[in-house]
């Protein structure tokens, strides 16, 4: 198929940036979206132009590095996938495709389609861990039985890949789904209970400090999340936060 | 004189690690505050090492090329992690895990290292559970296990098909705790481009800030390389796009020996390639072989009909299917080790039985498992006369609970429903057992420079068993390196901060800058990928699953000429002083073009078949094992450690003789 791509080009963080149109031809429906961009970049490089910079790494939907806002949707039109798992069979010959970076105040553009998501790291550093030393002198793994439904639910929350689609898609640029997922994982497990109060307070405070917006329960994040993280994680975080705030020392 | 001293502690194998730990020098907590350690790479090995070293009190600087340490490619590991917990009571033990790993590695790994790995394996599970890693559990609330290839027990712990992700996020969370305390200084989007030696010791690195293009000097008392494997030398592999050999190759060029480069794992269950545009291959976890049966049609007519779309695989009756692994290896069946399964798939496809257009695909079929689980569920639910549809639907639910995310991944890529029609799979490059040579302390031949995880060579011999990479990465990072590095650093308590305004740093920085300028100013006519694809094709065709003298000799020459052409004609647009993704790729491919040649040279030297390294000249000619790979213990029971002397072709071979005192050398039989 032949396509027109309208892509956000921005030289660096200071540059104003603009949409630029490119044509690609002979695109196979079996290609992934990023392979289609590879084709474009090979064209650009061959003619001595700078390729379009975009983040990507594992190309199997798990590292969370790829992003892209495609035709107004985070990770494009398919559901339950990252951009690297999106395939060209979702598009038609002659389509014009708009490709933009994830946009949020807390995700400044570095170049073209590459954004800085280190705010996510800083939220995790504020409390996204259990304070246990890694020396191996812990109790036997089977010493604490965990009900299977709890373990499974914790796992569902833990599958968040930290891509930022929830933020990009939210009209408030809220990071509540991302933070809710981590808070929920630990809240559901006995190991996480000890520091539960501090964790939720610190992570939420850091989230606010980074400039993410609040949640208005629209639920767009849940729809666009490539890993299907549930909105209930936000509810659980709110409950944890509330109970932590009223019982604070 | 060879510098190869493996430093294996004396004494019985069961006591080596314990005795070693009792005797080594320690650094007191006050002094640790004055010692810096650089860790390059933040996967399971690097992430766990950085966290633990920081927790012990060292000042850690960690580097990764991704935008966050959480994205390292360990995250993509699917199936699980082995540990000799024997929770299933099925006869597992530290010794058995040790034995399985040495045997699975086709007797080309170092016994003492493997035993230590098996010993600490149980700690890893305890540690990860304490960190909140949500491993799969049984209804009683205890941890669940599954089986992997090449073993007869269930010792694999897992978190759905995302075990690597969960373990990496565990290590990442441990890192975050230390970053918050200021004990780890994290450098995201940084790439190490050289190691700096002062008085022969590793004392720092030169790194490029991938956002600003700035070349930076970082000093430390020791440097740890945890940058993973070099599977991307094949261009197509299951590695991440950015996975590279650069850090390992740079230390190799500064004096670290590179061991067994030809030991590469071609994983049997990957989604087959579909076209020239393809940028990577996707793994389907080995855990699928617990329940999936591998087959091709028995009759050539059926193969033709399938390829032309006239016949569906589900229409082929049982008696017309060739479950070739079950046929050839009745004892292990579909759970033979990876190298064996891969070669068997290639054998069938080379014989013309491949089931897709390219002729390079076999089926992985869940029909039998779905029926078996369905019937079991029907019984549990008391459905006496369940219909076939009901049973199928119940069975599909069980399979979905176990492998749902893998099935979804397959469906998204191939656009076929693997619950209804068998998956198509074919082998692909996945893991590299070879790597930087290290001694028992995990130190390379450069004093103060360590290599851990996939980047080193030590534990998997010529073939790695499934679910052992995660085990090794975390063992090295959490439990081995933090001890062994202390023994070295105990001599550095009076050294003080290493200055970076010295001639050594200056020279290293200049070399890095010169090379970058050369790439950017070359203004040739061909893209980086053009050369990378050509290299990959030579590697796959001539240094892939099956190797021979003629092909290897040709490969060496061809790689040399591709490399020469690369340097004269590569085109890297843009500038060096800012984000430049083509420049990053160019630097990595330049190193692959050197490694590839050493890889072929090593494969040529090793005129035996062992593990993932299959030489057509070395096969069993008769008996029960006819046609199987033939190892040659008399002439090749050594580790090949290559010393760099200027060009890959001039590399000098040093041999570390392998001694097997606790395990009898036998032909690996999975029949």
């Amino acid at each position: 198929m032949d396509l027109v791509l309208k892509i956000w080009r921005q030289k660096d963080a200071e540059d104003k940036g603009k949409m630029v149109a490119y044509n690609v031809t002979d695109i196979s429906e079996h290609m992934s979206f990023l392979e289609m961009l590879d084709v474009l970049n090979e064209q650009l490089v061959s003619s001595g132009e700078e390729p379009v910079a975009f983040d990507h790494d594992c190309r199997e939907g798990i590292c969370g590095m790829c992003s892209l806002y495609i035709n107004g949707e985070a990770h494009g039109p398919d559901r339950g996938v990252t951009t690297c798992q999106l395939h060209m069979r979702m598009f038609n010959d002659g389509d014009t495709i708009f490709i933009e970076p994830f946009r949020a105040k807390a995700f400044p553009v570095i170049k073209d389609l590459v954004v800085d998501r280190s705010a996510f790291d800083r939220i995790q550093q504020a409390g996204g861990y259990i304070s246990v030393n890694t020396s191996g002198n812990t109790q036997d793994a089977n010493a604490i039985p965990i009900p299977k439904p709890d373990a499974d639910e914790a796992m569902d929350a833990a599958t968040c890949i930290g891509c930022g689609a929830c933020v990009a898609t939210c009209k408030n640029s809220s990071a509540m789904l991302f933070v809710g997922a981590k808070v929920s994982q630990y809240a559901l497990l006995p190991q996480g209970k000890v520091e539960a109060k501090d964790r939720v307070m610190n992570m939420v405070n850091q989230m606010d400090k980074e400039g993410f917006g609040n949640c208005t329960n629209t639920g767009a994040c849940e729809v666009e999340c490539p890993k299907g993280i549930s909105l209930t994680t936000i509810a659980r975080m709110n409950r944890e936060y509330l109970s932590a705030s009223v019982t604070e020392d | 004189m060879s510098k190869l001293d493996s430093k294996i502690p004396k004494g019985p194998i069961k006591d080596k690690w314990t005795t070693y730990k009792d005797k080594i020098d320690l650094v007191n907590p006050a002094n640790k505050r004055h010692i810096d350690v650089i860790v390059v790479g933040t996967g399971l090995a690097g992430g766990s090492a950085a966290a633990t070293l920081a927790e012990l009190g060292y000042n850690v600087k960690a580097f990764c090329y991704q935008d966050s340490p959480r994205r390292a490619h360990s995250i993509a590991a699917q199936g699980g992690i082995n540990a000799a917990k024997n929770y299933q009571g099925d006869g597992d033990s530290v010794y058995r895990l040790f034995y399985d790993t040495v045997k699975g590695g086709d007797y080309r790994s170092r016994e003492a290292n493997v035993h230590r790995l098996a010993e600490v394996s149980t700690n890893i599970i305890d540690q990860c559970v304490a960190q909140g890693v949500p491993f799969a559990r049984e209804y009683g609330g205890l941890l669940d296990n599954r089986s992997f290839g090449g073993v007869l027990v269930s010792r694999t712990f897992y978190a759905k098909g995302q075990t690597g992700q969960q373990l990496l996020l565990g290590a990442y969370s441990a890192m975050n705790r230390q970053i918050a305390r200021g004990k780890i200084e994290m450098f995201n989007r940084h790439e190490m481009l050289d190691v700096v030696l002062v008085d022969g010791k590793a004392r720092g690195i030169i790194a490029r800030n991938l956002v600003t293009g700035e070349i930076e000097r970082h000093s430390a008392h020791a440097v740890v390389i945890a940058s993973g494997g070099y599977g991307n030398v094949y261009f197509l592999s299951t590695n991440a796009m950015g996975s590279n050999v650069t850090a390992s190759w740079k230390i190799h060029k500064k004096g670290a020996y590179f061991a067994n480069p030809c030991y590469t794992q071609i994983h049997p269950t990957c989604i087959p390639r579909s076209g020239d545009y393809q940028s990577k291959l996707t793994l389907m976890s080995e855990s699928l072989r617990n329940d999936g049966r591998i087959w091709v049609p028995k009759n050539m007519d059926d193969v033709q009909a399938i390829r032309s779309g006239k016949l569906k695989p589900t229409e082929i009756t049982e008696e017309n299917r060739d479950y070739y692994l079950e046929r050839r290896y009745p004892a292990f069946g579909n759970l033979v080790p990876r190298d064996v399964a891969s070669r068997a798939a290639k054998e069938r496809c080379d014989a013309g039985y491949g089931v897709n257009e390219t002729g390079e695909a076999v089926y992985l079929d869940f029909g039998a498992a779905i029926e078996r689980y369905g019937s079991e569920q029907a019984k549990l639910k008391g459905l006496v006369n369940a219909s076939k549809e009901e049973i199928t639907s119940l069975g599909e639910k069980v399979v979905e609970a176990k492998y749902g995310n893998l099935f979804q991944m397959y469906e998204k890529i191939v656009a076929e429903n693997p619950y209804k029609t068998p998956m198509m799979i074919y082998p692909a490059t996945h893991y590299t057992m070879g790597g930087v040579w290290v001694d028992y302390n995990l130190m390379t031949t450069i004093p103060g420079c360590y290599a851990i995880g996939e980047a080193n060579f030590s534990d998997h011999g010529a073939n790695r068993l499934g679910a052992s990479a995660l085990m090794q990465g975390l063992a090295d990072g959490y439990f081995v390196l933090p001890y062994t590095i202390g023994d070295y650093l105990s001599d550095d308590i009076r050294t003080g901060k290493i200055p970076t305004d010295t001639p050594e740093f200056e020279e290293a920085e200049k070399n890095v800058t010169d090379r970058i300028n050369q790439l950017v100013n070359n203004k040739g006519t061909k893209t980086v990928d053009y050369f990378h694809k050509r290299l990959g094709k030579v590697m796959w065709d001539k240094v892939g699953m099956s190797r021979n003298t003629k092909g290897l000799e040709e490969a060496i020459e061809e790689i040399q000429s591709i490399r020469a052409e690369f340097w004269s004609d590569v085109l890297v647009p843009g500038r060096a002083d800012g984000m430049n993704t083509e420049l990053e790729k160019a630097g990595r491919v330049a190193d692959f073009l050197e490694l590839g040649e050493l890889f072929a040279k090593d494969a040529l030297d090793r005129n035996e078949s062992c593990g993932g390294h299959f030489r057509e000249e070395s096969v069993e000619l008769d008996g029960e094992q006819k046609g199987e790979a033939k190892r040659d213990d008399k002439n090749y029971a050594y580790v090949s450690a290559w010393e760099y002397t200027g060009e890959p072709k001039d590399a000098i071979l040093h041999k570390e003789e392998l001694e097997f005192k606790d395990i009898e050398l036998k032909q690996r039989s999975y029949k």
Side-chain angles (χ1 to χ4, degrees):
Chain A
M1 53 182 110
D2 299 345
L3 303 164
V4 179
L5 307 174
K6 297 209 168 171
I7 302 181
W8 183 259
R9 300 300 307 256
Q10 181 175 339
K11 238 175 29 221
D12 51 39
E14 274 73 50
D15 186 26
K16 205 168 150 229
K18 59 169 190 252
M19 297 299 280
V20 178
Y22 300 95
N23 294 304
V24 284
T25 52
D26 268 342
I27 297 299
S28 155
E29 58 167 4
H30 298 302
M31 276 183 192
S32 73
F33 195 83
L34 296 185
E35 282 166 350
M36 184 275 295
L37 286 183
D38 290 344
V39 171
L40 170 69
N41 276 345
E42 281 294 287
Q43 276 177 35
L44 291 175
V45 175
S46 298
S47 58
E49 280 180 65
E50 274 206 62
V52 178
F54 60 89
D55 268 330
H56 64 110
D57 204 25
C58 79
R59 294 213 178 181
E60 49 188 273
I62 194 73
C63 76
M65 188 119 170
C66 67
S67 51
L68 303 191
Y69 216 59
I70 301 162
N71 285 345
E73 284 184 89
H75 295 303
D78 206 353
R79 289 289 169 266
V81 294
T82 55
T83 294
C84 66
Q85 293 174 297
L86 175 67
H87 277 67
M88 294 313 293
R89 60 181 83 94
M90 298 296 293
F91 299 90
N92 300 308
D93 187 33
D95 278 0
T96 297
I97 306 176
F98 292 84
I99 309 169
E100 295 170 85
F102 277 1
R103 292 196 192 277
K105 185 178 151 209
F107 288 170
V109 173
I110 294 174
K111 181 178 182 177
D112 296 340
L113 304 170
V114 177
V115 299
D116 180 355
R117 286 169 287 191
S118 52
F120 270 12
D121 283 331
R122 289 188 291 274
I123 295 174
Q124 297 286 358
Q125 287 154 18
Y129 49 80
I130 288 170
S131 298
V132 55
N133 278 356
T134 52
S135 59
N137 293 324
T138 44
Q139 60 189 332
D140 185 83
N142 261 348
I144 335 162
I146 299 174
K148 184 170 165 57
D150 290 352
D152 287 349
E153 208 180 341
M155 175 65 198
D156 288 342
T159 55
C160 168
I161 56 174
C163 64
C166 47
V167 173
T169 217
C170 175
K171 59 182 189 249
N172 310 319
S173 296
S174 167
M176 296 276 259
L177 195 69
F178 170 77
V179 183
K182 201 69 199 171
V183 167
S184 293
Q185 176 196 341
Y186 291 136
L188 284 157
L189 297 172
Q191 303 94 304
K193 296 263 194 278
V194 184
E195 301 163 283
K197 277 189 197 176
D198 282 348
R199 176 177 306 113
V200 70
M201 297 303 287
N202 292 339
M203 289 182 79
V204 169
N205 288 343
Q206 186 65 35
M207 173 179 83
D208 292 342
K209 227 188 280 174
E210 296 290 348
F212 292 103
N214 211 329
C215 173
T216 44
N217 290 313
T218 309
C221 53
E222 184 185 54
V223 176
E224 295 293 348
C225 173
K227 296 295 153 186
I229 303 292
S230 162
L231 215 52
T232 57
T233 59
I234 297 182
R236 182 173 286 106
M237 174 174 70
N238 284 336
R239 195 172 64 206
E240 292 280 317
Y241 184 81
L242 188 66
S243 87
S245 344
V246 294
T247 57
E248 219 170 10
D249 305 323
Chain B
M1 198 196 77
S2 178
K3 283 191 276 184
L4 291 188
D5 176 3
S6 58
K7 303 210 173 88
I8 299 169
K10 302 238 177 319
I13 197 147
K14 284 192 165 71
D15 303 332
K16 283 183 197 292
W17 179 233
T18 313
T19 321
Y20 171 93
K21 285 192 291 183
D22 289 343
K23 299 273 169 65
I24 50 168
D25 286 333
L26 300 176
V27 181
N28 94 39
N31 284 330
K32 287 194 184 113
R33 286 198 284 274
H34 303 299
I35 293 182
D36 307 326
V37 181
I38 283 173
V39 180
V40 179
T42 58
L44 287 185
S48 58
T52 309
L53 292 171
E55 184 184 293
L56 286 171
Y58 299 109
N59 308 309
V60 176
K61 284 179 162 187
F63 294 79
C64 69
Y65 71 78
Q66 298 92 342
D67 74 332
S68 163
R70 68 178 291 156
R71 314 232 191 262
H73 199 54
S74 303
I75 203 149
Q78 299 168 349
I81 177 164
N82 288 330
K85 277 288 198 186
N86 194 27
Y87 280 162
Q88 304 302 323
D90 56 359
D92 201 8
S93 64
V94 166
Y95 183 82
R96 196 174 283 275
L97 174 54
F98 159 63
Y99 174 83
D100 285 344
T101 308
V102 171
K103 178 189 172 195
D106 218 356
Y107 307 93
R108 288 293 174 266
S109 45
R110 192 189 283 150
E111 268 192 346
N113 288 49
V114 179
H115 197 277
R116 175 176 65 189
L117 174 67
E119 278 175 70
V120 303
S121 70
T122 55
N123 280 352
I124 298 173
I125 304 303
D126 298 342
Q127 179 66 50
C128 292
V129 167
Q131 277 169 358
V133 170
F135 283 120
R137 287 177 183 266
E138 297 168 342
Y139 283 100
L142 303 182
L143 292 159
D144 194 17
N145 290 113
R146 59 186 173 201
S147 301
F148 259 61
V151 301
L152 298 169
V153 294
S154 271
R155 64 161 72 101
T156 306
F157 295 79
Y158 66 100
K160 283 199 177 162
Q162 289 135 283
T163 318
Q165 179 197 26
Q166 294 310 315
L167 294 174
L168 183 64
L169 293 181
Y172 167 70
S173 73
M175 278 184 85
N176 281 333
R177 181 169 165 236
Q178 301 304 326
I179 294 172
R181 289 176 63 213
K183 289 304 290 183
I184 297 180
E185 197 181 346
M186 187 63 224
F187 295 87
N188 299 335
R189 294 195 195 268
H190 274 66
E191 181 159 31
M192 166 187 158
L193 292 177
D194 209 353
V195 63
V196 182
L197 269 49
V198 180
D199 298 330
K201 292 178 176 173
R203 291 301 199 190
I205 64 167
I206 305 295
R208 180 168 182 268
N209 179 327
L210 300 180
V211 175
T212 63
E214 217 172 314
I215 303 299
E216 302 170 352
R217 303 176 185 187
H218 295 276
S219 71
H221 297 85
V223 174
V224 180
I225 302 298
S227 54
Y230 48 86
N232 273 346
V233 68
Y234 286 91
F235 184 71
L236 283 180
S237 80
T238 65
N239 285 185
M241 301 301 287
S243 298
N244 65 79
V245 75
T246 292
S248 301
W249 197 251
K250 297 304 184 194
I251 64 167
H252 172 56
K253 291 174 93 163
K254 285 279 177 82
Y257 293 179
F258 208 98
N260 302 331
C262 79
Y263 290 164
T264 309
Q265 181 158 82
I266 314 279
H267 195 292
T269 53
C270 302
I271 299 178
R273 61 188 77 193
S274 61
D276 291 337
Y277 49 79
Q278 198 143 1
S279 59
K280 80 154 270 159
L281 297 169
T282 304
L283 178 78
M284 287 284 106
S285 167
E286 175 165 317
S287 60
L288 294 173
R289 287 198 274 144
N290 272 288
D291 285 313
R293 297 176 73 195
I294 295 178
W295 63 277
V296 291
K298 241 183 216 160
N299 307 315
M300 197 50 96
D301 296 346
D302 288 346
V303 174
Q304 304 297 358
I306 279 182
R307 285 195 198 169
S308 58
K310 284 180 201 138
L311 192 66
K312 287 191 186 134
T314 43
E315 290 164 1
I316 298 180
T317 55
E318 277 298 308
E319 60 273 17
N320 287 321
R321 299 176 177 195
D322 176 14
Y323 294 97
Y324 57 85
L325 287 176
E326 296 169 30
R327 166 170 61 80
R328 287 178 62 180
Y329 307 100
F332 282 71
N334 291 296
L335 282 173
V336 290
R338 293 174 174 178
D339 55 336
V340 177
S342 289
R343 276 198 295 279
K346 181 176 175 351
E347 189 276 327
R348 281 294 80 194
C349 290
D350 286 353
Y353 290 89
V355 294
N356 68 354
E357 290 156 29
T358 64
E360 291 194 331
V362 299
Y363 288 127
L364 177 62
D365 195 334
F366 294 87
I370 287 172
E371 205 184 307
R372 188 176 76 240
Y373 286 128
S375 309
E376 190 181 295
Q377 288 296 312
K379 274 208 191 82
L380 283 171
K381 291 185 193 309
L383 302 171
V384 192
N385 289 317
S387 66
K388 196 166 181 320
E389 286 71 34
E390 279 175 302
I391 288 178
T392 306
S393 150
L394 288 168
E396 283 176 1
K397 284 205 184 82
V398 176
V399 169
E400 188 187 348
K402 291 179 116 173
Y403 314 110
N405 68 317
L406 300 170
F407 276 52
Q408 187 242 17
M409 201 195 293
Y410 182 88
E411 191 169 354
K412 289 293 177 192
I413 293 174
V414 184
E416 276 184 355
N417 180 349
Y419 294 99
K420 303 295 178 198
T421 184
M423 284 184 181
M424 282 191 282
I425 51 154
Y426 197 69
T429 304
H430 178 56
Y431 184 91
T432 51
M433 284 75 68
V436 181
W437 186 90
V438 290
D439 61 17
Y440 188 77
N441 301 317
L442 304 181
M443 185 148 79
T444 68
T445 44
I446 300 174
C449 182
Y450 292 77
I452 59 175
E454 190 179 349
N456 76 23
F457 87 103
S458 73
D459 294 351
H460 307 296
N463 174 58
R464 179 175 65 73
L465 289 180
S468 285
L470 302 185
M471 172 173 69
Q472 187 221 339
L474 289 181
D476 284 0
Y478 281 139
F479 304 125
V480 179
L481 181 80
Y483 283 101
T484 62
I485 203 170
D487 194 37
Y488 171 82
L489 291 171
S490 63
D491 288 340
D492 265 323
I493 54 176
R494 285 178 202 86
T495 309
K497 192 118 192 117
I498 309 286
T500 56
D501 55 346
T502 57
E504 290 89 349
F505 274 91
E506 199 149 312
E507 195 199 333
E509 183 184 317
K510 185 177 178 301
N511 291 340
V512 166
T513 313
D514 287 352
R515 186 166 141 121
I516 287 173
N517 290 337
Q518 194 183 348
L519 287 168
V520 173
N521 297 330
N522 196 51
K523 306 281 179 227
T525 62
K526 301 283 196 311
T527 66
V528 175
D529 276 2
Y530 165 82
F531 293 103
H532 198 178
K533 283 181 180 174
R534 275 179 62 194
L535 170 68
K537 182 155 172 44
V538 172
M539 293 301 294
W540 184 250
D541 290 345
K542 296 179 175 168
V543 204
M545 267 192 282
S546 180
R547 304 157 180 180
N548 60 50
T549 306
K550 182 169 163 284
L552 291 169
E553 283 169 353
E554 287 167 5
I556 290 173
E557 272 181 37
E558 286 167 30
I559 295 168
Q560 286 169 352
S561 81
I562 298 171
R563 190 167 69 234
E565 215 183 300
F566 172 89
W567 282 106
S568 70
D569 199 24
V570 72
L571 168 60
V572 179
R575 293 153 42 144
D577 60 350
M579 181 175 268
N580 186 334
T581 46
E582 283 297 301
L583 176 61
E584 293 166 29
K585 276 201 293 193
R588 293 167 194 161
V589 170
D591 292 330
F592 278 133
L593 282 164
E594 294 181 11
L595 163 81
E597 186 184 340
L598 184 69
F599 189 133
K601 186 181 164 78
D602 183 47
L604 185 62
D605 170 75
R606 191 167 286 277
N607 190 13
E608 65 158 346
S609 295
C610 60
H613 171 65
F614 183 73
R615 281 291 296 266
E616 288 162 18
E617 294 92 340
S618 189
V619 292
E620 296 289 345
L621 296 175
D622 45 35
E624 197 204 4
Q625 301 288 336
K626 189 175 172 192
E628 297 292 323
K630 186 181 173 189
R631 216 175 55 231
D632 178 357
D633 293 327
K634 197 161 147 265
N635 295 305
Y636 293 99
Y638 61 77
V639 174
S640 308
W642 297 92
E643 179 183 2
Y644 184 83
T645 59
E647 286 278 332
K649 71 174 164 53
D650 301 326
I652 297 171
L653 174 64
H654 300 268
K655 296 177 182 177
E656 178 196 344
E657 297 295 336
L658 291 168
E659 290 179 22
F660 292 90
K661 291 182 184 152
D662 287 82
I663 290 180
E664 185 198 350
L665 281 164
K666 277 202 289 212
Q667 170 162 29
R668 246 177 359 145
S669 170
Y670 294 97
K671 294 238 179 222

